[in-house]
Amino acid sequence: MAETSWYYYDWQMDGDPAEFAVDTRFFDKAPYENRPVLLHMRCEMKDGTELNGRGRRHIGRLEKKCKSDLKALYAGYIEDAYRRVMFFYTDKASRIEVLDDMADRERYLYCSAGASDDPEWNTYLNLLYPDAAKYYTETNRKNAQLYRKNGDCITAVRRLTLHMAFPLETLVPQFAEEARLSGFAIGDAEFNPDIDMPYGVKLHIISSLLNEDLDKYTTLAIYTAERYGGRLLYWESPVIPKNSPLR
């Protein structure tokens, strides 16, 4: 399986920052009728501390063994500072015995396995596979890196402008009011007849260009816009040099 089929992004697990990884190769055919059972394996340090290098190496070996022995589709994983949870789709629940055996044999980590029916592949489609807001977190990282590369002090707060777009003009004021109540300042209306969503509006918010701040505001804007059939086109911000008195 080509590594290029895997997509990695930052999100949250139980409220904590986490890395999500998903094999995007399965998306077009999901759900697979012959793989209705979801298996998962959770691995963490026995003393409850953060994963160390040795712990991650053990997880890597377990991951390879799962790929070779489990007879399942490896859908993805979620990993935070303390644990990794790996997800697999297979044909029958009895495959859990393989995971249970791996967990029992592991001596350095505490591992536990579970199985559940998921014929609609809800975990893959709704948890692992990124929606528009999750996908945009990668755009945020790339943009922030460009700002940093150009000498920006990304920790400095400044006005962040988000350009939103909608298919109908009547949807814009409805969205704008909800966005205002969510903390955004509403800027100028925009119109671009050359795109499929020609009616737009600018949103303004005071923010740094740190990942957590960008993700917070783009996610809020995207989810709000989706309720009105709209989307986030892009964001922009003035550059604040590292030696600026405003930083």
Side-chain angles (χ1 to χ4, degrees):
M1 184 182 303
E3 282 298 316
T4 54
S5 68
W6 282 77
Y7 184 78
Y8 304 85
Y9 63 95
D10 294 331
W11 201 245
Q12 292 186 343
M13 178 169 65
D14 299 330
D16 296 320
E19 178 186 71
F20 282 58
V22 59
D23 190 337
T24 61
R25 190 182 61 164
F26 304 134
F27 181 76
D28 290 339
K29 296 181 180 180
Y32 284 62
E33 292 183 2
N34 62 342
R35 296 288 191 277
V37 178
L38 175 69
L39 304 179
H40 67 266
M41 175 177 272
R42 175 178 176 135
C43 302
E44 55 197 318
M45 302 293 288
K46 288 185 175 181
D47 59 3
T49 58
E50 292 189 2
L51 287 172
N52 58 22
R54 183 180 176 187
R56 295 181 190 281
R57 288 191 293 274
H58 274 249
I59 290 175
R61 286 193 287 270
L62 284 169
E63 182 182 54
K64 290 180 180 179
K65 191 167 182 59
C66 285
K67 289 179 180 179
S68 63
D69 297 356
L70 193 53
K71 296 181 181 179
L73 300 179
Y74 185 22
Y77 68 78
I78 304 173
E79 181 177 314
D80 67 8
Y82 294 90
R83 66 194 67 84
R84 176 187 283 199
V85 183
M86 295 178 282
F87 299 91
F88 308 86
Y89 281 94
T90 191
D91 55 346
K92 50 190 176 183
S94 60
R95 302 278 186 208
I96 188 66
E97 296 174 4
V98 177
L99 284 184
D100 283 335
D101 183 63
M102 291 183 193
D104 290 341
R105 290 173 180 272
E106 172 59 36
R107 293 291 178 260
Y108 187 70
L109 299 170
Y110 170 73
C111 296
S112 61
S116 61
D117 291 329
D118 189 8
E120 299 302 319
W121 278 46
N122 287 318
T123 295
Y124 177 82
L125 294 172
N126 300 324
L127 176 64
L128 294 175
Y129 199 86
D131 59 15
K134 293 176 181 178
Y135 258 124
Y136 211 88
T137 61
E138 182 63 19
T139 299
N140 287 338
R141 274 138 193 72
K142 291 179 179 178
N143 288 349
Q145 288 174 4
L146 286 175
Y147 272 79
R148 183 189 290 112
K149 185 177 180 180
N150 289 325
D152 187 275
C153 177
I154 65 169
T155 60
V157 296
R158 81 291 300 275
R159 186 173 73 169
L160 185 70
T161 300
L162 291 75
H163 296 259
M164 315 301 297
F166 300 86
L168 299 173
E169 187 176 13
T170 55
L171 296 171
V172 175
Q174 300 175 51
F175 162 78
E177 176 60 16
E178 185 171 348
R180 184 187 66 81
L181 294 174
S182 298
F184 290 100
I186 308 305
D188 296 334
E190 299 184 303
F191 178 70
N192 184 350
D194 297 326
I195 62 175
D196 60 338
M197 294 189 180
Y199 302 97
V201 65
K202 296 178 183 178
L203 299 184
H204 303 298
I205 197 77
I206 300 301
S207 174
S208 75
L209 299 188
L210 293 173
N211 293 341
E212 56 266 31
D213 290 335
L214 291 173
D215 292 349
K216 173 183 176 181
Y217 295 122
T218 59
T219 297
L220 177 58
I222 288 170
Y223 285 158
T224 304
E226 285 180 346
R227 291 195 283 273
Y228 299 92
R231 69 171 185 261
L232 170 62
L233 295 178
Y234 65 96
W235 59 258
E236 59 183 340
S237 164
V239 173
I240 299 182
K242 294 180 180 179
N243 59 356
S244 170
L246 298 177
R247 68 182 179 87

